[in-house]
Amino acid sequence: MTVEEGYVQRIGATEAVFRRLKSLIQSDDYAVGDRLPAELALAKQFGVSRPVVREALHACAILGLTETHTGRGTFIVSKNADTQPTFAGVGAGDLIEARRLVEIPAAGFAAERRTPEQVRQLFEILDKLAAAPDAHEWVRYDGELHTAIAAASGNTMLTAMVADTRRALDLQSEFLNLTQDRRTDSDREHEAIVRAIEAGAPEAARAAMTDHLERVAETVARIGA
């Protein structure tokens, strides 16, 4: 088994447990205020490891379904998932709007102004994304790629704006990759952006970044369903 195959299986398990937990929470078996079984019990019930259950519970908390209190357990606080969750205090919808305004033009400028060294760096980051062994590592390189694209634009303000969004975006990216299995699609979309930048094609770069952000927006729209 390759590292990437192991990753896909693990992410699949987290997504499966997340969906089962969400269904369980929203079933008639539980009411708001009820405590869920402990992580170990859930791990045995679902046939997965405790870290997978912990990640799935964290995703439920992001959606506003549960709250975990140290020493007391995880409690249901809502039966309805937030359709616009927040990441580091920033709403998912606000993140998408801001990214459209900043990252699409930045990609176009990058295609016009990038240096050979910057292109080489972008492809190196793509390789790191493809080889990342887990969601946390992948998210780190995802942030590096988007920041490097902005840096290649030659516009220091755009670069600073992209960097400033990463705290919230890293949380959103990890959440989407754990619960919606976005990694493969994101890698393909990222490569399209970098290829357009390498080719010096600003319209294609803007279109590829637009496509990437729209796919992210569609995924966010599905998470509360």
Side-chain angles (χ1 to χ4, degrees):
M1 178 185 294
T2 66
V3 170
E4 185 167 347
E5 285 170 346
Y7 176 94
V8 171
Q9 288 184 3
R10 182 169 183 273
I11 295 306
T14 303
E15 181 177 1
V17 172
F18 163 69
R19 292 184 182 278
R20 290 181 67 181
L21 278 173
K22 185 179 169 187
S23 178
L24 188 66
I25 290 166
Q26 294 175 331
S27 73
D28 293 335
D29 295 334
Y30 286 89
V32 172
D34 286 352
R35 183 173 61 185
L36 290 173
E39 286 181 4
L40 182 58
L42 289 170
K44 290 180 178 178
Q45 178 180 342
F46 297 140
V48 297
S49 66
R50 288 185 69 178
V52 168
V53 170
R54 190 173 299 119
E55 289 171 341
L57 286 171
H58 179 61
C60 289
I62 289 175
L63 287 183
L65 295 171
T66 63
E67 287 182 359
T68 298
H69 301 278
T70 303
R72 295 178 54 207
T74 299
F75 296 82
I76 298 172
V77 295
S78 176
K79 304 279 279 186
N80 300 310
D82 291 339
T83 57
Q84 289 294 326
T86 60
F87 301 91
V90 182
D94 289 344
L95 281 172
I96 291 295
E97 286 185 357
R99 296 187 75 184
R100 289 182 181 126
L101 290 172
V102 175
E103 295 198 56
I104 292 172
F109 289 135
E112 295 173 343
R113 304 168 180 172
R114 80 284 183 272
T115 66
E117 174 61 23
Q118 287 170 327
V119 172
R120 184 189 64 78
Q121 181 188 18
L122 291 175
F123 277 103
E124 285 182 353
I125 300 173
L126 285 181
D127 289 341
K128 291 177 180 178
L129 280 165
D134 56 49
H136 304 287
E137 194 81 355
W138 188 94
V139 166
R140 181 162 69 87
Y141 293 130
D142 177 50
E144 286 187 12
L145 180 69
H146 282 274
T147 303
I149 290 170
S153 75
N155 186 304
T156 57
M157 282 302 298
L158 289 176
T159 304
M161 292 168 74
V162 170
D164 285 346
T165 65
R166 286 318 307 182
R167 180 166 176 262
L169 284 175
D170 285 353
L171 294 173
Q172 183 190 77
S173 181
E174 183 173 341
F175 173 78
L176 294 182
N177 280 281
L178 287 173
T179 65
Q180 306 296 317
D181 200 6
R182 273 280 302 162
R183 173 172 174 161
T184 300
D185 290 340
S186 289
D187 283 350
R188 183 173 60 251
E189 293 155 15
H190 287 150
E191 182 175 357
I193 297 166
V194 173
R195 292 288 182 189
I197 292 172
E198 177 192 33
E203 289 188 12
R206 287 191 291 268
M209 183 64 80
T210 298
D211 178 68
H212 175 53
L213 297 183
E214 290 310 308
R215 300 291 80 76
V216 171
E218 290 171 2
T219 304
V220 170
R222 289 197 303 268
I223 61 179

